[in-house]
Amino acid sequence: MKIVLFWHRRDLRVHDNAGLTAALQSGFPVLPLFIYDREILDQLPSRRDARVTFIYQQVERLAQAAKQASGTFLAYYGRPLEVFEQLLSDYDVAAVYTNEDYEPYATERDSQVARLLQARGAELRSFKDQVIFAKSEILSKSGTIPKVFGAYSKAWLAALRDEHLAPYPSGELFRAENLARLEPAPPRPTLEQMGFTPFEQFVPAAELPADELVRNYHTTRNLPGLENSSTRRSVHLRFGTLSVRELMRQARALNSKLLGELIWRDYFMALLWHYPFTATESYDPRLRRVSYRNNEAEFRAWCEGRTGYPLVDAGMRELNQTGYLPNRARIAAAGFLVKHLLIDWRWGDRYFADTLLDYDMAQNVGNWQWMAGTGAVAAPWFRVYSPQSQQEQYDPSFAYVWQWIPEYGTCEYPKPIVDHKFARERATATLRAAYRAVE
Ligand SMILES: Cc1cc2nc3c(=O)[nH]c(=O)nc-3n(C[C@H](O)[C@H](O)[C@H](O)COP(=O)(O)OP(=O)(O)OC[C@H]3O[C@@H](n4cnc5c(N)ncnc54)[C@H](O)[C@@H]3O)c2cc1C
């Protein structure tokens, strides 16, 4: 019996799934599939990783959904090319359907899988699902990706039609007559078999935030001390447990600021796809030779939330304890690392990559380069935020600080690691020198 495989990656849901819909409409019985990719998992710094636990739980949930619909869900732990070699010899595969993934490693992996399938008379069909506009869909009149968010966002909004946000009917199509059933179902790997220890962190439910939160979003989003100040849906957007179209529809109806933040998400995804080298290199050549100080002891103090600047420290402690930190605290922490401590943005990017539950290469690199002033879109290199003014503006009652730094205000809390005025002058002088060296 010829079958079609549907390969889940960053889309761990059945409902409103573009590629899954196409697979279920292909006329062939569908076997949904997930591969725990050793190329990625083997590089993680710890075997106790909340993201792996989260993925595992979602994969098991998908397997239950397939079982309830009288289908079978496949899961493997291995290297994608080897897994597909095996699948092609075990089953008569007409095609593999999937949703596009724009990260450099993923695009390379997918072209290798596509070549393998083609050599065996099958094909890889990829669909846009995790963004509204991808790759080169939004370009300026000169045919390049806009270098200013305002221009990108304007073009994005002008291109938007209702159908771009319309849901796909995969949930309704996910029925016995469209699914393949294997008896007995092949075993799926457990976390322990893959060498991981379960580690659960708090993740809100994969459902839309309350309308009231969204309506107030523009007034609350920068106040980290407030409960429900932002949607906290980034983990779900990262792993596709929530459809971005659903959240976009809600934002479009209720709050243009939230819609704008989601457009940033599309933008950073497109920028990384256009400039994959920015995953590890500053986009701006003038800022590739900054004489960063890269002091290891200061980096450790930053990681551990011991800089003596309470907004920065509260953020880093929340990150270390929960895997999350609010956008305003990310801005304070990132700005402080690259400007006040003059530590290479890639050190901070790596630390966030290892610790954030919602870590997403495009968003992380894009935002870090924005903060460092080095990106394709970036804050001016000479902008140095004052951590103290940010504290006064966004956490004036110190509610956020008290929540994460119980010893704040006692002699146990460290003195500032560096004076703000001195650090600002040092940062601007160092960055100016890098600029001038190339001019
Ligand atoms: C240095 C730094 C690193 C970051 N790293 C990541 C990352 O690895 N993964 C990640 O998802 N976000 C990252 N962000 C963006 C942003 O901080 C988070 O998306 C947001 O804090 C998540 O909380 P939320 O879901 O409550 O966001 P909300 O404020 O409720 O926004 C809703 C959604 O919009 C998107 N969004 C919001 N702000 C941004 C932004 N600045 N850039 C891109 N998309 C945005 C996110 O998908 C978010 O879930 C980073 C920001 C900074 C400054």
Short mmCIF file of all heavy atoms in Angstrom, two decimals, residues 209 213 217 221 229-238 244 247 258-266 268 324-335 352-353 356-371, ligand 1:
data_model
loop_
_atom_site.label_atom_id
_atom_site.label_comp_id
_atom_site.label_asym_id
_atom_site.label_seq_id
_atom_site.Cartn_x
_atom_site.Cartn_y
_atom_site.Cartn_z
N PRO A 209 -4.47 33.65 24.29
CA PRO A 209 -4.57 34.41 25.54
C PRO A 209 -5.96 35.04 25.66
O PRO A 209 -6.67 35.18 24.66
CB PRO A 209 -3.49 35.48 25.38
CG PRO A 209 -3.20 35.56 23.92
CD PRO A 209 -3.53 34.23 23.33
N LEU A 213 -6.43 40.51 28.06
CA LEU A 213 -4.98 40.67 28.07
C LEU A 213 -4.52 41.29 26.74
O LEU A 213 -3.71 42.21 26.72
CB LEU A 213 -4.32 39.30 28.27
CG LEU A 213 -2.81 39.22 28.49
CD1 LEU A 213 -2.46 37.91 29.17
CD2 LEU A 213 -2.00 39.35 27.22
N TYR A 217 -2.64 44.87 25.98
CA TYR A 217 -1.23 44.49 25.74
C TYR A 217 -0.29 45.69 25.61
O TYR A 217 0.78 45.72 26.21
CB TYR A 217 -1.17 43.61 24.50
CG TYR A 217 0.21 43.24 24.05
CD1 TYR A 217 0.91 42.20 24.66
CD2 TYR A 217 0.85 43.94 23.02
CE1 TYR A 217 2.18 41.86 24.26
CE2 TYR A 217 2.12 43.60 22.60
CZ TYR A 217 2.79 42.57 23.22
OH TYR A 217 4.05 42.24 22.82
N ARG A 221 2.77 45.44 28.31
CA ARG A 221 3.83 44.56 27.80
C ARG A 221 5.22 44.88 28.34
O ARG A 221 6.09 44.02 28.43
CB ARG A 221 3.88 44.61 26.28
CG ARG A 221 4.13 46.00 25.73
CD ARG A 221 4.00 46.01 24.23
NE ARG A 221 5.13 45.40 23.56
CZ ARG A 221 6.22 46.05 23.17
NH1 ARG A 221 6.32 47.36 23.35
NH2 ARG A 221 7.20 45.42 22.58
N SER A 229 1.54 40.32 31.88
CA SER A 229 1.83 41.58 31.18
C SER A 229 1.94 41.35 29.67
O SER A 229 1.74 42.27 28.90
CB SER A 229 3.09 42.22 31.72
OG SER A 229 4.20 41.42 31.44
N SER A 230 2.28 40.12 29.27
CA SER A 230 2.33 39.81 27.84
C SER A 230 1.72 38.42 27.63
O SER A 230 1.33 37.77 28.59
CB SER A 230 3.78 39.87 27.33
OG SER A 230 4.55 38.88 27.95
N THR A 231 1.65 37.97 26.39
CA THR A 231 0.87 36.75 26.11
C THR A 231 1.52 35.46 26.61
O THR A 231 0.85 34.47 26.85
CB THR A 231 0.65 36.57 24.59
OG1 THR A 231 1.91 36.25 23.98
CG2 THR A 231 0.05 37.80 23.96
N ARG A 232 2.86 35.44 26.68
CA ARG A 232 3.64 34.25 27.03
C ARG A 232 3.33 33.08 26.10
O ARG A 232 3.28 31.91 26.54
CB ARG A 232 3.42 33.87 28.50
CG ARG A 232 3.98 34.93 29.41
CD ARG A 232 4.38 34.42 30.74
NE ARG A 232 5.33 33.34 30.69
CZ ARG A 232 5.99 32.90 31.75
NH1 ARG A 232 5.84 33.50 32.90
NH2 ARG A 232 6.83 31.90 31.64
N ARG A 233 3.12 33.39 24.86
CA ARG A 233 2.84 32.31 23.89
C ARG A 233 4.06 31.96 23.04
O ARG A 233 3.96 31.17 22.10
CB ARG A 233 1.65 32.69 22.99
CG ARG A 233 0.30 32.76 23.73
CD ARG A 233 0.06 31.50 24.55
NE ARG A 233 -1.24 31.42 25.15
CZ ARG A 233 -1.56 31.81 26.38
NH1 ARG A 233 -0.66 32.39 27.17
NH2 ARG A 233 -2.79 31.63 26.85
N SER A 234 5.24 32.55 23.36
CA SER A 234 6.41 32.34 22.50
C SER A 234 6.82 30.87 22.40
O SER A 234 7.25 30.41 21.34
CB SER A 234 7.59 33.17 23.01
OG SER A 234 7.72 33.05 24.40
N VAL A 235 6.68 30.11 23.49
CA VAL A 235 7.05 28.68 23.43
C VAL A 235 6.14 27.97 22.43
O VAL A 235 6.59 27.13 21.64
CB VAL A 235 6.88 28.01 24.81
CG1 VAL A 235 7.31 26.56 24.76
CG2 VAL A 235 7.65 28.75 25.86
N HIS A 236 4.86 28.33 22.46
CA HIS A 236 3.92 27.65 21.56
C HIS A 236 4.14 28.05 20.11
O HIS A 236 3.96 27.23 19.21
CB HIS A 236 2.49 27.94 22.00
CG HIS A 236 2.18 27.34 23.34
ND1 HIS A 236 2.30 25.99 23.57
CD2 HIS A 236 1.81 27.90 24.52
CE1 HIS A 236 2.00 25.74 24.83
NE2 HIS A 236 1.70 26.88 25.43
N LEU A 237 4.53 29.30 19.89
CA LEU A 237 4.84 29.69 18.51
C LEU A 237 6.11 29.00 18.05
O LEU A 237 6.24 28.60 16.90
CB LEU A 237 4.97 31.22 18.40
CG LEU A 237 3.66 31.98 18.66
CD1 LEU A 237 3.92 33.48 18.66
CD2 LEU A 237 2.60 31.63 17.61
N ARG A 238 7.05 28.84 18.96
CA ARG A 238 8.31 28.19 18.61
C ARG A 238 8.09 26.73 18.18
O ARG A 238 8.66 26.26 17.22
CB ARG A 238 9.27 28.24 19.82
CG ARG A 238 10.46 27.31 19.76
CD ARG A 238 11.38 27.70 18.61
NE ARG A 238 12.51 26.79 18.46
CZ ARG A 238 12.48 25.67 17.77
NH1 ARG A 238 11.37 25.28 17.17
NH2 ARG A 238 13.56 24.92 17.64
N VAL A 244 0.19 30.28 14.41
CA VAL A 244 0.44 31.73 14.39
C VAL A 244 -0.75 32.46 13.75
O VAL A 244 -1.04 33.60 14.10
CB VAL A 244 1.78 32.05 13.69
CG1 VAL A 244 1.72 31.81 12.19
CG2 VAL A 244 2.18 33.49 13.96
N LEU A 247 -3.31 33.37 16.47
CA LEU A 247 -2.90 34.50 17.31
C LEU A 247 -2.92 35.80 16.51
O LEU A 247 -3.29 36.86 17.02
CB LEU A 247 -1.51 34.23 17.90
CG LEU A 247 -1.03 35.19 18.98
CD1 LEU A 247 -2.00 35.30 20.14
CD2 LEU A 247 0.34 34.77 19.52
N LEU A 258 0.36 44.29 19.36
CA LEU A 258 0.68 42.86 19.37
C LEU A 258 0.86 42.35 17.93
O LEU A 258 1.78 41.57 17.66
CB LEU A 258 -0.43 42.06 20.08
CG LEU A 258 -0.22 40.55 20.12
CD1 LEU A 258 1.08 40.17 20.82
CD2 LEU A 258 -1.40 39.85 20.80
N LEU A 259 0.02 42.83 17.05
CA LEU A 259 0.18 42.43 15.64
C LEU A 259 1.57 42.84 15.16
O LEU A 259 2.28 42.07 14.49
CB LEU A 259 -0.91 43.10 14.78
CG LEU A 259 -0.90 42.68 13.31
CD1 LEU A 259 -1.22 41.20 13.16
CD2 LEU A 259 -1.90 43.52 12.50
N GLY A 260 2.00 44.03 15.55
CA GLY A 260 3.33 44.52 15.17
C GLY A 260 4.43 43.60 15.67
O GLY A 260 5.39 43.31 14.96
N GLU A 261 4.31 43.12 16.90
CA GLU A 261 5.34 42.22 17.45
C GLU A 261 5.39 40.92 16.66
O GLU A 261 6.45 40.35 16.42
CB GLU A 261 5.09 41.93 18.93
CG GLU A 261 5.20 43.15 19.84
CD GLU A 261 6.51 43.91 19.68
OE1 GLU A 261 7.57 43.27 19.64
OE2 GLU A 261 6.48 45.15 19.60
N LEU A 262 4.22 40.46 16.24
CA LEU A 262 4.18 39.22 15.47
C LEU A 262 4.75 39.44 14.06
O LEU A 262 5.31 38.52 13.46
CB LEU A 262 2.75 38.66 15.40
CG LEU A 262 2.25 38.15 16.75
CD1 LEU A 262 0.73 37.95 16.73
CD2 LEU A 262 2.94 36.83 17.12
N ILE A 263 4.62 40.67 13.56
CA ILE A 263 5.24 40.99 12.27
C ILE A 263 6.78 40.99 12.42
O ILE A 263 7.51 40.52 11.55
CB ILE A 263 4.73 42.33 11.71
CG1 ILE A 263 3.21 42.24 11.49
CG2 ILE A 263 5.43 42.69 10.41
CD1 ILE A 263 2.54 43.55 11.07
N TRP A 264 7.26 41.47 13.56
CA TRP A 264 8.71 41.38 13.84
C TRP A 264 9.17 39.92 13.72
O TRP A 264 10.25 39.62 13.22
CB TRP A 264 9.02 41.86 15.27
CG TRP A 264 9.35 43.31 15.40
CD1 TRP A 264 8.57 44.26 15.97
CD2 TRP A 264 10.56 43.97 15.00
NE1 TRP A 264 9.22 45.47 15.94
CE2 TRP A 264 10.44 45.33 15.35
CE3 TRP A 264 11.72 43.54 14.36
CZ2 TRP A 264 11.45 46.26 15.09
CZ3 TRP A 264 12.73 44.47 14.11
CH2 TRP A 264 12.59 45.81 14.46
N ARG A 265 8.33 39.03 14.22
CA ARG A 265 8.69 37.60 14.19
C ARG A 265 8.88 37.13 12.74
O ARG A 265 9.86 36.48 12.40
CB ARG A 265 7.60 36.81 14.92
CG ARG A 265 7.85 35.32 14.97
CD ARG A 265 6.76 34.63 15.79
NE ARG A 265 6.88 33.19 15.67
CZ ARG A 265 6.33 32.48 14.70
NH1 ARG A 265 5.63 33.06 13.75
NH2 ARG A 265 6.50 31.16 14.65
N ASP A 266 7.93 37.48 11.86
CA ASP A 266 8.07 37.15 10.43
C ASP A 266 9.34 37.77 9.86
O ASP A 266 10.08 37.15 9.09
CB ASP A 266 6.88 37.72 9.63
CG ASP A 266 5.71 36.75 9.51
OD1 ASP A 266 5.63 35.81 10.32
OD2 ASP A 266 4.86 36.95 8.60
N PHE A 268 12.21 38.76 11.34
CA PHE A 268 13.48 38.13 11.73
C PHE A 268 13.65 36.77 11.06
O PHE A 268 14.76 36.36 10.73
CB PHE A 268 13.56 38.01 13.26
CG PHE A 268 13.94 39.29 13.96
CD1 PHE A 268 13.27 39.69 15.10
CD2 PHE A 268 14.95 40.09 13.48
CE1 PHE A 268 13.62 40.88 15.76
CE2 PHE A 268 15.31 41.29 14.12
CZ PHE A 268 14.64 41.68 15.27
N TYR A 324 12.27 31.41 31.12
CA TYR A 324 11.56 32.51 30.45
C TYR A 324 12.08 33.83 31.01
O TYR A 324 12.52 33.90 32.16
CB TYR A 324 10.05 32.39 30.73
CG TYR A 324 9.25 33.53 30.11
CD1 TYR A 324 8.95 33.52 28.75
CD2 TYR A 324 8.86 34.62 30.87
CE1 TYR A 324 8.26 34.58 28.17
CE2 TYR A 324 8.16 35.69 30.30
CZ TYR A 324 7.88 35.65 28.95
OH TYR A 324 7.20 36.70 28.37
N LEU A 325 12.06 34.87 30.21
CA LEU A 325 12.17 36.22 30.76
C LEU A 325 11.42 37.18 29.85
O LEU A 325 11.35 36.96 28.65
CB LEU A 325 13.61 36.66 31.05
CG LEU A 325 14.57 37.11 29.97
CD1 LEU A 325 15.72 37.89 30.62
CD2 LEU A 325 15.15 35.89 29.32
N PRO A 326 10.80 38.19 30.46
CA PRO A 326 9.98 39.11 29.67
C PRO A 326 10.84 39.95 28.73
O PRO A 326 12.02 40.17 29.00
CB PRO A 326 9.33 40.01 30.74
CG PRO A 326 9.60 39.37 32.06
CD PRO A 326 10.80 38.51 31.89
N ASN A 327 10.23 40.42 27.66
CA ASN A 327 10.98 41.15 26.64
C ASN A 327 11.76 42.32 27.24
O ASN A 327 12.91 42.54 26.89
CB ASN A 327 10.01 41.65 25.57
CG ASN A 327 10.74 42.28 24.41
OD1 ASN A 327 11.61 41.66 23.81
ND2 ASN A 327 10.41 43.52 24.10
N ARG A 328 11.17 43.09 28.13
CA ARG A 328 11.85 44.25 28.69
C ARG A 328 13.11 43.83 29.45
O ARG A 328 14.14 44.49 29.37
CB ARG A 328 10.87 45.02 29.61
CG ARG A 328 11.39 46.28 30.20
CD ARG A 328 12.11 47.22 29.26
NE ARG A 328 11.35 47.65 28.11
CZ ARG A 328 11.86 48.39 27.12
NH1 ARG A 328 13.13 48.77 27.14
NH2 ARG A 328 11.11 48.75 26.10
N ALA A 329 13.04 42.70 30.14
CA ALA A 329 14.22 42.22 30.86
C ALA A 329 15.26 41.66 29.87
O ALA A 329 16.46 41.75 30.11
CB ALA A 329 13.82 41.16 31.88
N ARG A 330 14.79 41.09 28.75
CA ARG A 330 15.75 40.63 27.73
C ARG A 330 16.52 41.83 27.19
O ARG A 330 17.73 41.77 26.98
CB ARG A 330 15.03 39.93 26.57
CG ARG A 330 14.39 38.63 26.97
CD ARG A 330 13.78 37.87 25.78
NE ARG A 330 12.72 37.01 26.28
CZ ARG A 330 12.34 35.87 25.75
NH1 ARG A 330 12.91 35.41 24.67
NH2 ARG A 330 11.37 35.16 26.29
N ILE A 331 15.79 42.92 26.96
CA ILE A 331 16.43 44.12 26.42
C ILE A 331 17.46 44.65 27.42
O ILE A 331 18.60 44.96 27.06
CB ILE A 331 15.36 45.19 26.10
CG1 ILE A 331 14.54 44.74 24.89
CG2 ILE A 331 15.99 46.56 25.87
CD1 ILE A 331 13.35 45.63 24.56
N ALA A 332 17.05 44.73 28.69
CA ALA A 332 17.96 45.26 29.71
C ALA A 332 19.20 44.37 29.82
O ALA A 332 20.34 44.86 29.84
CB ALA A 332 17.24 45.35 31.06
N ALA A 333 18.99 43.05 29.86
CA ALA A 333 20.12 42.13 30.06
C ALA A 333 21.05 42.13 28.84
O ALA A 333 22.28 42.17 28.98
CB ALA A 333 19.59 40.72 30.33
N ALA A 334 20.46 42.11 27.64
CA ALA A 334 21.28 42.05 26.43
C ALA A 334 22.06 43.35 26.25
O ALA A 334 23.26 43.34 25.97
CB ALA A 334 20.40 41.78 25.22
N GLY A 335 21.37 44.47 26.45
CA GLY A 335 22.04 45.76 26.30
C GLY A 335 23.20 45.89 27.27
O GLY A 335 24.28 46.38 26.93
N PHE A 352 21.50 32.43 25.95
CA PHE A 352 20.04 32.38 25.78
C PHE A 352 19.63 31.10 25.04
O PHE A 352 18.62 30.49 25.35
CB PHE A 352 19.55 33.61 25.00
CG PHE A 352 19.30 34.84 25.85
CD1 PHE A 352 19.88 34.98 27.09
CD2 PHE A 352 18.48 35.86 25.39
CE1 PHE A 352 19.65 36.12 27.88
CE2 PHE A 352 18.23 36.99 26.17
CZ PHE A 352 18.82 37.12 27.41
N ALA A 353 20.44 30.71 24.05
CA ALA A 353 20.11 29.50 23.28
C ALA A 353 20.09 28.28 24.19
O ALA A 353 19.28 27.38 24.02
CB ALA A 353 21.14 29.30 22.16
N LEU A 356 16.81 29.48 27.19
CA LEU A 356 15.43 29.92 26.92
C LEU A 356 14.55 28.75 26.47
O LEU A 356 14.92 28.02 25.55
CB LEU A 356 15.42 30.95 25.78
CG LEU A 356 15.62 32.42 26.07
CD1 LEU A 356 15.66 33.19 24.75
CD2 LEU A 356 14.54 32.98 26.97
N LEU A 357 13.39 28.66 27.06
CA LEU A 357 12.42 27.65 26.61
C LEU A 357 11.94 27.97 25.20
O LEU A 357 11.65 27.09 24.41
CB LEU A 357 11.19 27.69 27.52
CG LEU A 357 11.12 26.72 28.67
CD1 LEU A 357 9.85 26.97 29.47
CD2 LEU A 357 11.14 25.29 28.17
N ASP A 358 11.82 29.26 24.89
CA ASP A 358 11.29 29.66 23.59
C ASP A 358 12.41 29.93 22.59
O ASP A 358 12.17 30.60 21.57
CB ASP A 358 10.37 30.88 23.72
CG ASP A 358 11.09 32.14 24.22
OD1 ASP A 358 12.32 32.25 24.06
OD2 ASP A 358 10.41 33.03 24.76
N TYR A 359 13.61 29.42 22.88
CA TYR A 359 14.74 29.76 21.99
C TYR A 359 14.42 29.48 20.52
O TYR A 359 14.00 28.38 20.16
CB TYR A 359 16.01 28.98 22.39
CG TYR A 359 17.07 29.13 21.33
CD1 TYR A 359 17.64 30.37 21.08
CD2 TYR A 359 17.45 28.05 20.53
CE1 TYR A 359 18.58 30.53 20.07
CE2 TYR A 359 18.38 28.21 19.52
CZ TYR A 359 18.95 29.46 19.29
OH TYR A 359 19.85 29.63 18.28
N ASP A 360 14.65 30.48 19.72
CA ASP A 360 14.39 30.39 18.29
C ASP A 360 15.53 31.16 17.62
O ASP A 360 15.73 32.34 17.92
CB ASP A 360 13.03 31.07 18.03
CG ASP A 360 12.69 31.15 16.56
OD1 ASP A 360 13.49 31.69 15.77
OD2 ASP A 360 11.60 30.70 16.20
N MET A 361 16.29 30.48 16.79
CA MET A 361 17.51 31.09 16.25
C MET A 361 17.24 32.46 15.60
O MET A 361 17.95 33.43 15.86
CB MET A 361 18.17 30.16 15.24
CG MET A 361 19.45 30.74 14.69
SD MET A 361 20.18 29.71 13.42
CE MET A 361 21.06 28.53 14.43
N ALA A 362 16.21 32.52 14.76
CA ALA A 362 15.96 33.78 14.03
C ALA A 362 15.64 34.92 14.99
O ALA A 362 16.14 36.04 14.85
CB ALA A 362 14.83 33.59 13.03
N GLN A 363 14.79 34.63 15.98
CA GLN A 363 14.37 35.69 16.92
C GLN A 363 15.53 36.07 17.83
O GLN A 363 15.72 37.24 18.18
CB GLN A 363 13.18 35.24 17.78
CG GLN A 363 12.03 34.61 17.03
CD GLN A 363 11.60 35.42 15.83
OE1 GLN A 363 11.64 36.65 15.85
NE2 GLN A 363 11.20 34.76 14.76
N ASN A 364 16.30 35.08 18.23
CA ASN A 364 17.37 35.35 19.19
C ASN A 364 18.50 36.14 18.52
O ASN A 364 18.91 37.19 19.00
CB ASN A 364 17.88 34.03 19.77
CG ASN A 364 18.51 34.22 21.13
OD1 ASN A 364 17.94 34.88 22.00
ND2 ASN A 364 19.68 33.68 21.33
N VAL A 365 18.96 35.63 17.38
CA VAL A 365 20.03 36.31 16.66
C VAL A 365 19.58 37.71 16.24
O VAL A 365 20.31 38.70 16.40
CB VAL A 365 20.43 35.47 15.42
CG1 VAL A 365 21.11 36.32 14.39
CG2 VAL A 365 21.31 34.32 15.83
N GLY A 366 18.35 37.79 15.71
CA GLY A 366 17.84 39.08 15.25
C GLY A 366 17.80 40.09 16.37
O GLY A 366 18.24 41.24 16.21
N ASN A 367 17.30 39.68 17.52
CA ASN A 367 17.21 40.60 18.65
C ASN A 367 18.57 40.93 19.25
O ASN A 367 18.82 42.07 19.63
CB ASN A 367 16.28 40.02 19.72
CG ASN A 367 14.82 40.32 19.44
OD1 ASN A 367 14.37 41.45 19.56
ND2 ASN A 367 14.07 39.30 19.02
N TRP A 368 19.45 39.93 19.33
CA TRP A 368 20.79 40.22 19.88
C TRP A 368 21.53 41.19 18.98
O TRP A 368 22.17 42.14 19.44
CB TRP A 368 21.60 38.92 20.07
CG TRP A 368 21.36 38.32 21.43
CD1 TRP A 368 20.51 37.29 21.73
CD2 TRP A 368 21.95 38.74 22.68
NE1 TRP A 368 20.54 37.05 23.08
CE2 TRP A 368 21.41 37.92 23.68
CE3 TRP A 368 22.85 39.73 23.04
CZ2 TRP A 368 21.76 38.05 25.03
CZ3 TRP A 368 23.21 39.86 24.38
CH2 TRP A 368 22.65 39.02 25.36
N GLN A 369 21.43 40.97 17.67
CA GLN A 369 22.14 41.88 16.76
C GLN A 369 21.49 43.26 16.76
O GLN A 369 22.16 44.26 16.58
CB GLN A 369 22.17 41.30 15.34
CG GLN A 369 23.00 40.03 15.24
CD GLN A 369 23.95 40.04 14.03
OE1 GLN A 369 24.44 41.08 13.63
NE2 GLN A 369 24.20 38.86 13.48
N TRP A 370 20.20 43.28 16.98
CA TRP A 370 19.52 44.58 17.11
C TRP A 370 20.11 45.34 18.31
O TRP A 370 20.49 46.50 18.22
CB TRP A 370 18.01 44.37 17.29
CG TRP A 370 17.31 45.60 17.77
CD1 TRP A 370 17.14 45.99 19.06
CD2 TRP A 370 16.73 46.63 16.97
NE1 TRP A 370 16.48 47.20 19.12
CE2 TRP A 370 16.22 47.62 17.84
CE3 TRP A 370 16.59 46.82 15.58
CZ2 TRP A 370 15.58 48.77 17.40
CZ3 TRP A 370 15.95 47.97 15.14
CH2 TRP A 370 15.46 48.92 16.04
N MET A 371 20.19 44.64 19.44
CA MET A 371 20.68 45.27 20.67
C MET A 371 22.15 45.69 20.52
O MET A 371 22.56 46.73 21.02
CB MET A 371 20.56 44.31 21.87
CG MET A 371 19.15 44.00 22.32
SD MET A 371 18.15 45.43 22.71
CE MET A 371 19.16 46.29 23.90
C1 LIG B 1 18.00 39.65 23.35
C2 LIG B 1 16.65 39.07 22.98
C3 LIG B 1 16.56 37.71 22.66
C4 LIG B 1 15.30 37.18 22.29
N1 LIG B 1 15.23 35.82 21.98
C5 LIG B 1 14.06 35.29 21.60
C6 LIG B 1 13.94 33.90 21.28
O1 LIG B 1 14.92 33.15 21.30
N2 LIG B 1 12.71 33.41 20.95
C7 LIG B 1 11.61 34.22 20.88
O2 LIG B 1 10.51 33.73 20.57
N3 LIG B 1 11.69 35.54 21.15
C8 LIG B 1 12.87 36.10 21.51
N4 LIG B 1 12.94 37.44 21.81
C9 LIG B 1 11.77 38.29 21.55
C10 LIG B 1 10.81 38.52 22.74
O3 LIG B 1 11.53 38.94 23.87
C11 LIG B 1 10.00 37.28 23.09
O4 LIG B 1 9.38 36.77 21.94
C12 LIG B 1 8.90 37.62 24.10
O5 LIG B 1 9.46 38.18 25.25
C13 LIG B 1 8.15 36.34 24.48
O6 LIG B 1 7.17 36.61 25.44
P1 LIG B 1 5.63 36.67 25.02
O7 LIG B 1 5.26 35.45 24.27
O8 LIG B 1 4.88 37.02 26.24
O9 LIG B 1 5.66 37.89 24.00
P2 LIG B 1 4.51 38.93 23.62
O10 LIG B 1 5.02 40.27 23.99
O11 LIG B 1 3.21 38.51 24.15
O12 LIG B 1 4.50 38.88 22.02
C14 LIG B 1 3.74 37.87 21.33
C15 LIG B 1 4.66 37.18 20.36
O13 LIG B 1 5.21 38.12 19.44
C16 LIG B 1 6.54 37.75 19.10
N5 LIG B 1 7.48 38.79 19.57
C17 LIG B 1 7.32 39.64 20.59
N6 LIG B 1 8.39 40.45 20.70
C18 LIG B 1 9.24 40.08 19.72
C19 LIG B 1 10.52 40.52 19.31
N7 LIG B 1 11.19 41.52 19.92
N8 LIG B 1 11.11 39.90 18.27
C20 LIG B 1 10.48 38.89 17.63
N9 LIG B 1 9.28 38.43 17.96
C21 LIG B 1 8.66 39.01 18.99
C22 LIG B 1 6.84 36.47 19.87
O14 LIG B 1 6.57 35.37 19.02
C23 LIG B 1 5.85 36.53 21.03
O15 LIG B 1 5.51 35.29 21.56
C24 LIG B 1 14.17 38.01 22.21
C25 LIG B 1 14.29 39.37 22.55
C26 LIG B 1 15.50 39.89 22.94
C27 LIG B 1 15.61 41.35 23.28
#
